[in-house]
Amino acid sequence: MVEVYSVKVDCTVTSRFAHTVTTSRALNKAKSSQEIFFEVQMPKTAFIVNFSMEIDGEVYVGAVKEKKKAKKQYEKAVSSGQTAGLVKASGRKMEKFSVSVNIAAESNVTFILTYEELLQRKLGQYEILTRVKPKLPVQEFQIVTNIYEPQGLAYVDAHATFLSNELLPLARISFSPTMDEQRKCPNCEGTLIDGDFVIKYDVKRTENLGNVQIANGYFVHFFSPQDLQRVPKNVAFVIDRSGSMWGIKMQQTHEALLAILKDLNEEDHFALIQFDDTIDSWRESLSKATKENVAEGMAYIRTIQPSGVTDINSGVLRGVHMLIKDRQEEKLPERSVDMIILLTDGMPNIGVTSIPAIQDNVKSAMGGNMSLFCLGIGNDVDYSFLDVMSQQNKGVARRIFEGSDASLQLQGFYDEVASPILSKVDLRYPVNVVDSLTTNHYSELYNGSEIVVAGRMMDNNLDNFMVEVFVEGQEEKANATAKALEMSLRYSFVTPLTSMVVTKPDTKDGPDSPLIADKLTEGEGGKSDNWAGVPDHGQAFSLKMDGDPHFMIELPDREDALCFNLNDKPGTIFNLVRDPTQGIFVNGQILGDKKIAPDGKMNTYFCRFGIEHRILGLKLEVSTQDISLLPPSSYVSFSMDLLLTKDRSLTVTLRNSVKFVILLHKVWSEHPYHRDYLGFYTLDSHLLSSSVHGLLGQFYHGIEYEVSDMHPGEVQEKPDATMYVKGRELNVTRGWQRDFRSDLKMGKNVPCWFVHSNGTGLIDGDATDYVVSGLFKTF
């Protein structure tokens, strides 16, 4: 009953800057109100500058706000049961903007989304990508692209249609099929319009100093010199061979590296380093890329087989030190570029495992003298870690998506950085003419790419000025975050620092009920928010125990969690935490349902906790009925804080140490089976000593694991996988557990890797090893 009758995409490209307006019109033909959805996929490198809806002649326009402020309004909208629009990562090159709105009977709505993008030259061409998915034939469907390049166009290729190279500076490409032409067959409802509309082009180039365009008091300088001799490169390939690379990942890595080595120029030098928990090098120095050396290197690559765990720190540093040593011994050409290409699919889980420490180590070792390119293979890789580390070292990161074309993705990335033609490029402009420059210092320029510098001119009447290009310059190291935020707000475009708030009409909260357009960075998503009312003290993970009773080890740095259930007879007492160094012990007792349910299942829960600080001589017993403290509370003020809130949450803070949060779950007193029970959560666990242990305590300082080989499980929506942890190989299931931190009544489903059989293989020993004889007893 909802008909989308018009879809138009209007793109105008002026001097590489693309301005795209997508307009969709829909009609609710029903006799009652309907929810209408609008969805657009746009390039990840684009920025939303406007979103508006026109309903019954009234226009509702979005406003860009700083992300934290926008989030507060978004949470208000969600809490009142309204829908919200989000830009969500949806693919390799595209991300999704989606929004829904309730429309009255027999009413129209028009959605208009505007986004902009500076096209980047790669491998000698620019690409305009439009993804269209109308789902059904549309009465009025049109894509129009106008390209204006003052230099003139060298060529244009639209959807594999050849166009003459002898083009005017302005090119117009229009695609407007009729409804019959959109159908898969004469009587089909479906549409052929489902995919990418791609335009590729390049401009004419004559001057090696590039082209400068001046308009309205601003200038843009495009610098892409032609016919320069390539600079030799010295590249160390650092290859992850840990156990999670088993199978197709390693096969595709082999294929890609073999193809890459074939393309090395004879003036290049290369090294091959493989790592798991040990590091092995093909040779102790880089080798010149002669035919003989390349052939031997290819034979070595074929021998790399996965096993062990992941020591990224040592692997990368081996490559860095090899390049430094060869430089010192003058084994490499003086005029050449040094780079490391890291291929990995996992997280560091042995050796140095702290992300900031690894980043600091690599940055310090490289000293700004080489570039680091990180290729994150698969869906489990910590992309943000690799992205930051690359940017700190004059390189970039790229996610290699799982799929049959992964080896082609690896080769494609290498092709982009394989041919450096200039290093330490510094573009200079008259200081008395130009103000407010964008970045004008670049560590390298690669063949087929382009440097773009923009700035504001002091003299609006000037139509020409001198540009100087030097090949020596210093990297700008100023933090541009504040400036980027200020520009985003001033010029109203959505970046990872900002969100677009869109006022939604016809809601009970009126104009304060917003929708949000939120731009995610690559690799971002799904991070849990902090506890309501409880500050985040920067712990790398949190530990929880709740429900029937399930344990969860949440790892925000990996955007993941591990969990296991604990089944035993009612009355059993388990040691949860023991830290003999600090004298802190926590035990918990479980109880069962009132009686066995008709399905034969009896749930068990924690009903009592004993918290003891032996150095201070304190004992705290918390049950579903009572809180008991010894000695009297007057002694507690300087050694233990107790905060009891009206939502049945008790926070226990031990002096200069850990915090525990205990939640009371109330069950209807007349319930035939269930009873009241307690949940247990931990804050500031990093303040406990290295000797801490127990069912929860053993995880307070982290857990190293890798997951691979995901495959269908017994339940369709819960796949199984193989986990490598503590030297063991476990079968785990992707499922959900309830987190009651922010919603004590309903809880929130949190995805996690479920370890079966009472956590066997994940916990040290067996669950029965943690049974104690009393609430304040130890082993």
Side-chain angles (χ1 to χ4, degrees):
M1 300 303 293
V2 174
E3 178 189 3
V4 178
Y5 61 88
S6 177
V7 174
K8 291 185 178 180
V9 180
D10 191 339
C11 177
T12 301
V13 181
T14 305
S15 298
R16 288 79 151 175
F17 192 79
H19 177 92
T20 304
V21 180
T22 64
T23 306
S24 294
R25 292 182 170 88
L27 170 65
N28 176 17
K29 298 188 293 185
K31 300 295 184 181
S32 60
S33 63
Q34 295 260 52
E35 191 172 25
I36 290 181
F37 294 87
F38 168 76
E39 182 177 295
V40 167
Q41 294 193 45
M42 62 184 193
K44 287 184 177 180
T45 50
F47 299 90
I48 299 171
V49 295
N50 180 67
F51 175 65
S52 60
M53 298 182 295
E54 182 178 342
I55 303 172
D56 293 333
E58 187 169 357
V59 177
Y60 303 86
V61 181
V64 174
K65 295 191 176 183
E66 196 267 330
K67 191 171 241 183
K68 289 183 180 178
K69 295 178 181 178
K71 186 172 184 293
K72 290 180 180 178
Q73 290 183 304
Y74 168 67
E75 289 172 342
K76 181 179 179 181
V78 171
S79 66
S80 62
Q82 300 161 27
T83 54
L86 293 172
V87 171
K88 299 179 179 178
S90 65
R92 299 179 181 180
K93 294 184 178 180
M94 310 296 283
E95 60 188 6
K96 183 187 298 180
F97 175 84
S98 59
V99 67
S100 64
V101 64
N102 202 56
I103 302 299
E106 300 178 332
S107 294
N108 288 281
V109 59
T110 299
F111 301 97
I112 303 172
L113 177 70
T114 304
Y115 58 87
E116 295 178 341
E117 176 188 16
L118 178 64
L119 302 179
Q120 299 179 10
R121 190 169 187 254
K122 294 181 179 179
L123 302 176
Q125 62 188 13
Y126 307 94
E127 180 180 272
I128 306 164
L129 179 58
T130 303
R131 183 160 294 169
V132 285
K133 302 173 78 70
K135 299 181 182 178
L136 291 173
V138 178
Q139 291 181 24
E140 186 180 33
F141 182 89
Q142 187 178 58
I143 297 176
V144 176
T145 301
N146 292 289
I147 304 172
Y148 179 72
E149 294 287 353
Q151 295 168 254
L153 299 177
Y155 77 91
V156 175
D157 181 15
H159 196 61
T161 301
F162 178 78
L163 297 177
S164 171
N165 285 339
E166 299 299 323
L167 293 175
L168 296 174
L170 177 67
R172 177 181 173 88
I173 298 149
S174 179
F175 176 61
S176 183
T178 65
M179 287 191 70
D180 287 339
E181 290 171 335
Q182 295 174 48
R183 299 184 194 278
K184 293 181 179 179
C185 61
N187 297 318
C188 295
E189 288 190 357
T191 176
L192 290 171
I193 311 300
D194 184 0
D196 298 334
F197 187 82
V198 182
I199 300 171
K200 297 180 179 181
Y201 77 94
D202 197 15
V203 301
K204 294 178 179 178
R205 303 174 189 276
T206 56
E207 298 292 336
N208 262 352
L209 284 181
N211 174 260
V212 178
Q213 298 174 17
I214 302 173
N216 302 320
Y218 292 86
F219 80 92
V220 182
H221 179 200
F222 302 97
F223 177 63
S224 182
Q226 305 298 297
D227 303 321
L228 294 184
Q229 183 179 359
R230 63 180 300 281
V231 178
K233 61 181 177 294
N234 313 306
V235 54
F237 296 95
V238 180
I239 306 153
D240 185 347
R241 65 171 181 198
S242 60
S244 58
M245 289 286 289
W246 185 265
I248 189 65
K249 289 182 184 178
M250 184 55 70
Q251 176 187 332
Q252 292 167 334
T253 300
H254 284 171
E255 293 173 1
L257 287 173
L258 293 174
I260 287 170
L261 258 60
K262 286 182 182 178
D263 289 339
L264 288 174
N265 189 283
E266 192 157 334
E267 296 304 312
D268 296 333
H269 288 71
F270 71 103
L272 300 170
I273 298 166
Q274 54 175 317
F275 70 93
D276 44 35
D277 50 328
T278 60
I279 316 299
D280 292 312
S281 303
W282 172 45
R283 294 174 178 172
E284 295 305 311
S285 295
L286 281 85
S287 300
K288 193 173 182 180
T290 62
K291 290 183 179 180
E292 294 78 10
N293 285 337
V294 167
E296 292 180 29
M298 292 172 69
Y300 178 78
I301 286 171
R302 294 187 182 97
T303 67
I304 299 176
Q305 295 298 328
S307 64
V309 287
T310 310
D311 187 353
I312 290 178
N313 185 77
S314 298
V316 175
L317 291 184
R318 173 70 67 88
V320 173
H321 295 149
M322 188 180 292
L323 282 164
I324 292 173
K325 174 175 143 306
D326 283 7
R327 275 285 177 200
Q328 292 173 342
E329 296 176 0
E330 299 182 351
K331 294 180 178 179
L332 305 175
E334 182 178 356
R335 185 180 176 271
S336 60
V337 173
D338 297 339
M339 63 176 70
I340 288 178
I341 297 181
L342 168 66
L343 298 91
T344 182
D345 76 329
M347 278 282 293
N349 53 21
I350 197 169
V352 179
T353 57
S354 164
I355 298 300
I358 296 173
Q359 292 168 339
D360 289 344
N361 291 345
V362 172
K363 184 178 179 181
S364 176
M366 287 190 162
N369 297 317
M370 58 188 75
S371 300
L372 173 65
F373 300 97
C374 295
L375 301 178
I377 304 172
N379 301 323
D380 297 328
V381 69
D382 187 338
Y383 182 82
S384 60
F385 156 48
L386 301 179
D387 187 34
V388 171
M389 191 162 65
S390 296
Q391 293 183 41
Q392 290 175 337
N393 296 283
K394 305 192 303 184
V396 294
R398 186 70 55 83
R399 183 187 293 279
I400 304 301
F401 295 87
E402 291 184 8
S404 59
D405 65 338
S407 60
L408 295 177
Q409 295 177 57
L410 288 165
Q411 293 174 54
F413 174 81
Y414 177 77
D415 290 341
E416 292 178 28
V417 300
S419 300
I421 54 176
L422 290 176
S423 61
K424 297 182 180 178
V425 183
D426 186 9
L427 297 98
R428 301 180 187 176
Y429 310 90
V431 294
N432 60 336
V433 174
V434 172
D435 184 24
S436 300
L437 279 177
T438 58
T439 299
N440 61 325
H441 306 293
Y442 292 83
S443 55
E444 280 95 23
L445 175 65
Y446 298 93
N447 189 34
S449 63
E450 183 176 62
I451 289 174
V452 180
V453 180
R456 184 170 57 200
M457 302 183 65
M458 300 179 188
D459 185 354
N460 290 342
N461 296 319
L462 191 68
D463 59 3
N464 193 13
F465 62 92
M466 180 66 69
V467 176
E468 296 180 294
V469 179
F470 297 85
V471 292
E472 288 292 334
Q474 297 298 318
E475 284 288 315
E476 284 191 2
K477 300 189 182 296
N479 186 348
T481 300
K483 182 65 175 177
L485 175 59
E486 185 270 331
M487 291 177 65
S488 301
L489 297 175
R490 186 197 308 173
Y491 298 110
S492 294
F493 58 90
V494 180
T495 71
L497 303 171
T498 55
S499 296
M500 178 171 285
V501 182
V502 185
T503 302
K504 180 178 178 179
D506 300 327
T507 63
K508 62 182 180 181
D509 288 343
D512 291 331
S513 302
L515 304 178
I516 299 293
D518 212 5
K519 184 173 181 67
L520 305 181
T521 56
E522 176 68 60
E524 183 184 356
K527 288 189 176 181
S528 300
D529 292 333
N530 294 337
W531 300 14
V534 181
D536 179 4
H537 295 274
Q539 69 268 29
F541 47 87
S542 62
L543 282 293
K544 331 169 186 176
M545 185 282 304
D546 215 327
D548 176 28
H550 64 254
F551 293 74
M552 185 181 298
I553 308 149
E554 190 175 21
L555 304 147
D557 285 346
R558 295 187 63 161
E559 301 176 5
D560 208 351
L562 309 180
C563 54
F564 62 95
N565 285 358
L566 191 63
N567 298 306
D568 211 301
K569 59 182 182 294
T572 304
I573 301 174
F574 291 95
N575 172 247
L576 304 178
V577 181
R578 68 174 188 273
D579 186 347
T581 302
Q582 295 198 23
I584 296 172
F585 296 81
V586 180
N587 293 337
Q589 183 176 10
I590 61 174
L591 85 165
D593 280 340
K594 297 174 183 176
K595 59 182 179 179
I596 298 176
D599 61 4
K601 180 181 179 181
M602 173 179 281
N603 295 313
T604 56
Y605 313 87
F606 276 96
C607 62
R608 295 170 66 213
F609 293 111
I611 302 174
E612 184 177 11
H613 198 314
R614 292 187 179 175
I615 295 177
L616 299 177
L618 291 174
K619 292 182 179 179
L620 177 70
E621 180 179 340
V622 181
S623 71
T624 55
Q625 305 293 326
D626 196 11
I627 301 174
S628 302
L629 180 66
L630 292 174
S633 58
S634 60
Y635 179 68
V636 173
S637 59
F638 72 94
S639 56
M640 178 187 292
D641 289 332
L642 301 179
L643 176 63
L644 184 63
T645 62
K646 63 181 180 180
D647 64 352
R648 304 192 298 273
S649 171
L650 173 66
T651 302
V652 182
T653 305
L654 300 179
R655 187 179 66 176
N656 299 324
S657 187
V658 72
K659 293 182 181 179
F660 301 116
V661 178
I662 299 172
L663 302 181
L664 172 62
H665 296 273
K666 296 289 289 183
V667 177
W668 176 45
S669 60
E670 302 298 320
H671 195 287
Y673 306 111
H674 303 327
R675 307 175 188 263
D676 295 347
Y677 64 96
L678 301 175
F680 186 88
Y681 299 79
T682 309
L683 288 177
D684 295 340
S685 56
H686 60 286
L687 296 177
L688 290 167
S689 77
S690 58
S691 63
V692 66
H693 209 268
L695 267 174
L696 282 177
Q698 63 187 286
F699 301 111
Y700 282 159
H701 295 299
I703 179 70
E704 298 166 357
Y705 70 97
E706 292 187 14
V707 177
S708 65
D709 187 29
M710 190 181 298
H711 55 275
E714 293 183 2
V715 181
Q716 183 176 359
E717 64 272 16
K718 294 183 178 182
D720 285 352
T722 300
M723 175 180 288
Y724 301 90
V725 59
K726 295 184 178 180
R728 306 180 184 100
E729 185 176 317
L730 308 178
N731 183 62
V732 295
T733 301
R734 193 63 169 174
W736 298 268
Q737 293 284 20
R738 287 287 180 89
D739 183 346
F740 294 92
R741 295 180 298 179
S742 57
D743 186 344
L744 184 62
K745 183 177 180 180
M746 300 300 297
K748 173 185 175 183
N749 276 334
V750 177
C752 66
W753 290 110
F754 183 82
V755 180
H756 303 274
S757 304
N758 287 353
T760 300
L762 177 65
I763 65 174
D764 292 339
D766 186 81
T768 57
D769 297 336
Y770 299 86
V771 175
V772 293
S773 59
L775 204 59
F776 297 100
K777 298 288 186 179
T778 53
F779 293 98

